[in-house]
Amino acid sequence: MYRNNNQGPKRGVALYSYSAEFGFEKTLEDCFEDIHDMGATGVEILANTHIENYPYPTDEWVNYWFSLCDKYQVEPVEYGHWIDCRVLQDRLLSTEEAVARLEQDLRLAHRLGFKVLRTKMSVVDDALNPVENWREIIRGALPLAERLGLTMCPEIHIPTNLKSQMIIDFSVFRHKFDEGEFVDPHFVPNEPEDIIPLIPYIYCCHAKFIHMNDDFEETTIPYKEVLMALRDNGYNGYLLSEYEGADKYDQGYEVGQTLRKHHIMMKNILGY
Amino acid sequence: MDKQVIQSVGFRNIEENGEIVGFQLKIRLPYYRGVYLSQIRPGHLIVDGESFGENEIMWRVNGEDFTYADMRKDCTRHWHPMEPATLIVKKPGGLKQGFHDLTYGFCCTHSYMPPFMEALEDPDKPAVIYFREFGQNTNSRRLLIV
């Protein structure tokens, strides 16, 4: 299977960006060809959205998936999925039930050639704290993840600051940061260099963007500084373009053109 | 598949043994990700002012039929955004020929969003917190029965 073994940050696309068009203007193959057009080599899928007959795809579909990866020289980079602990409306799932469902996703991610998962935890309150047993759930699935060579990653998403308590909490399985090394400035923007100490623990980046102008500049995020910080400090993973603008749902909107602008920008900054 | 939630294809009366026993329509999931059946919160179907509750509507998903009681406890069968579901309603004689005004309301739970958001939502009313990628709770369409 195609793998991009180049050093440095690599360009890819999160299929979430196509949410408004997928299944209408765009098939899965159209998305892959679009990615190939951009010179990008990696893809993130959302399991519940992009896998036909999820969570039980047929072998024919899995073969089709690999045929697309081969044809368009795109590698499976990140398997986006959820642990829906509130899937039943009258009670939370038990740890054992949640582990079994998580293991089902691990097996499926492995079957599709992924090595990294964005594992979205269920939350129980308005502060977005995860379910109380989240550590037990992750720990319960670690032996299988290890056996299959998979890494589960939490998504650090706005408004979480890169220096916040949540980073300490999520780091327990890899690295223990010193208490006091972090403050908790929710809703305070980070400086680009704040990402540098975290780079050894980053397996994948959503390269989110809100607004690209016609000069191929993102007008809300200091992209050049962030990408330089990643490149100059040894990040070898993917930057998966994820377009957040709600206008992608407007009649006639073509997110593929917006993604191309983003890739022109990243290509110009990275030089490839 | 239509972009509208209520699909133009699939709206018709249902005949069994020469009798019209009810009608059906198809809806798609307007959410950016699929859901397990137990995540669905069905509301009411209103046809020309006549209301049908969740226990009067059978859902057909991937060729299997589910009552509301079945769906509530089924967290293994998954409804995909690309596969419209069929709503089946018993109504002797069905719907008469001509135009019908249909409104259907439903929403879903989202474990990764704060629980207060779900508590705010009534499947029979427009979303209190509306995200385009989550879709609207209530959807209407005027369609013909032949």
Side-chain angles (χ1 to χ4, degrees):
Chain A
M1 186 172 62
Y2 173 79
R3 292 287 180 192
N4 180 342
N5 294 315
N6 294 343
Q7 292 297 297
K10 296 182 257 284
R11 292 188 289 116
V13 173
L15 290 192
Y16 163 83
S17 301
Y18 293 97
S19 291
E21 297 175 35
F22 188 74
F24 298 104
E25 293 89 348
K26 293 273 192 299
T27 62
L28 186 63
E29 176 156 7
D30 293 332
C31 295
F32 269 71
E33 186 162 5
D34 227 21
I35 293 169
H36 183 68
D37 287 349
M38 296 172 218
T41 57
V43 67
E44 181 214 52
I45 62 163
L46 302 176
N48 310 45
T49 310
H50 301 115
I51 299 173
E52 196 176 288
N53 210 30
Y54 173 85
Y56 315 110
T58 61
D59 289 340
E60 287 73 23
W61 190 86
V62 174
N63 291 338
Y64 171 66
W65 164 258
F66 282 117
S67 76
L68 293 181
C69 293
D70 284 343
K71 184 172 176 186
Y72 297 104
Q73 300 286 284
V74 167
E75 62 176 318
V77 172
E78 189 190 316
Y79 179 97
H81 72 114
W82 291 262
I83 306 177
D84 273 308
C85 288
R86 287 193 274 116
V87 67
L88 292 167
Q89 295 184 40
D90 51 358
R91 66 172 177 88
L92 285 171
L93 292 184
S94 68
T95 300
E96 293 69 28
E97 289 168 325
V99 169
R101 296 171 76 90
L102 173 53
E103 287 182 335
Q104 176 173 268
D105 274 307
L106 292 175
R107 287 190 195 93
L108 186 45
H110 178 69
R111 193 172 157 208
L112 298 178
F114 289 91
K115 292 178 175 166
V116 172
L117 296 88
R118 186 238 45 198
T119 300
K120 192 73 129 186
M121 196 54 73
S122 304
V123 304
V124 287
D125 60 25
D126 304 348
L128 301 180
N129 282 305
V131 287
E132 210 168 279
N133 57 343
W134 75 267
R135 288 181 179 80
E136 287 72 33
I137 296 171
I138 298 294
R139 196 173 285 127
L142 279 180
L144 180 64
E146 194 156 29
R147 189 150 57 78
L148 300 179
L150 298 170
T151 304
M152 292 177 274
C153 299
E155 181 179 6
I156 308 302
H157 191 289
I158 194 169
T160 303
N161 189 286
L162 293 177
K163 295 181 168 183
S164 68
Q165 181 65 36
M166 197 177 279
I167 305 298
I168 300 175
D169 292 346
F170 278 139
S171 69
V172 293
F173 295 108
R174 291 293 307 186
H175 174 83
K176 196 74 187 153
F177 289 103
D178 293 332
E179 295 289 337
E181 194 177 337
F182 290 90
V183 288
D184 197 359
H186 244 46
F187 295 101
V188 177
N190 282 102
E191 295 301 325
E193 61 269 23
D194 291 346
I195 203 165
I196 294 171
L198 301 175
I199 287 174
Y201 314 102
I202 300 175
Y203 289 80
C204 201
C205 280
H206 281 163
K208 287 180 183 280
F209 63 110
I210 315 289
H211 182 251
M212 295 298 304
N213 67 21
D214 286 343
D215 295 322
F216 314 116
E217 296 160 330
E218 214 294 348
T219 59
T220 69
I221 298 165
Y223 251 97
K224 186 168 186 186
E225 290 77 3
V226 176
L227 294 198
M228 289 294 97
L230 288 167
R231 193 194 67 180
D232 295 342
N233 291 278
Y235 179 65
N236 283 322
Y238 267 89
L239 302 161
L240 298 164
S241 297
E242 194 181 57
Y243 182 56
E244 290 275 81
D247 59 354
K248 61 180 170 289
Y249 282 90
D250 290 351
Q251 184 72 33
Y253 192 89
E254 293 180 39
V255 80
Q257 297 302 304
T258 310
L259 287 165
R260 280 166 174 74
K261 286 185 187 177
H262 191 236
H263 277 262
I264 288 174
M265 178 194 70
M266 293 202 295
K267 189 174 180 178
N268 290 344
I269 293 172
L270 295 169
Y272 51 84
Chain B
M1 188 169 69
D2 296 346
K3 283 213 168 176
Q4 293 195 49
V5 170
I6 296 178
Q7 302 289 300
S8 60
V9 172
F11 180 50
R12 61 177 180 268
N13 283 322
I14 300 168
E15 198 179 308
E16 272 174 23
N17 305 321
E19 301 269 317
I20 302 286
V21 294
F23 66 94
Q24 66 161 62
L25 68 151
K26 287 186 181 176
I27 55 169
R28 76 170 179 94
L29 174 62
Y31 190 22
Y32 77 101
R33 63 167 189 149
V35 294
Y36 290 95
L37 298 187
S38 56
Q39 286 174 263
I40 302 170
R41 295 174 59 197
H44 289 77
L45 171 67
I46 315 287
V47 184
D48 308 319
E50 187 180 358
S51 177
F52 301 90
E54 65 268 19
N55 293 314
E56 298 169 272
I57 300 168
M58 181 88 86
W59 284 57
R60 183 169 294 160
V61 182
N62 298 328
E64 284 187 274
D65 290 355
F66 302 91
T67 64
Y68 176 54
D70 296 332
M71 289 168 66
R72 272 188 70 84
K73 53 179 196 278
D74 196 323
C75 61
T76 62
R77 288 180 177 81
H78 191 257
W79 183 24
H80 194 269
M82 303 297 112
E83 291 290 334
T86 305
L87 305 184
I88 298 161
V89 182
K90 277 193 182 139
K91 180 178 165 66
L95 298 173
K96 65 180 193 299
Q97 191 181 68
F99 285 106
H100 295 278
D101 289 304
L102 309 169
T103 297
Y104 188 56
F106 71 102
C107 53
C108 301
T109 66
H110 327 280
S111 294
Y112 69 102
M113 300 297 274
F116 86 90
M117 276 182 48
E118 282 155 29
L120 283 175
E121 297 301 334
D122 177 340
D124 286 323
K125 291 182 180 155
V128 177
I129 300 177
Y130 173 56
F131 297 112
R132 294 174 83 174
E133 64 188 27
F134 280 48
Q136 188 48 272
N137 296 350
T138 53
N139 290 277
S140 298
R141 196 161 184 183
R142 191 165 214 228
L143 292 175
L144 281 167
I145 286 278
V146 176

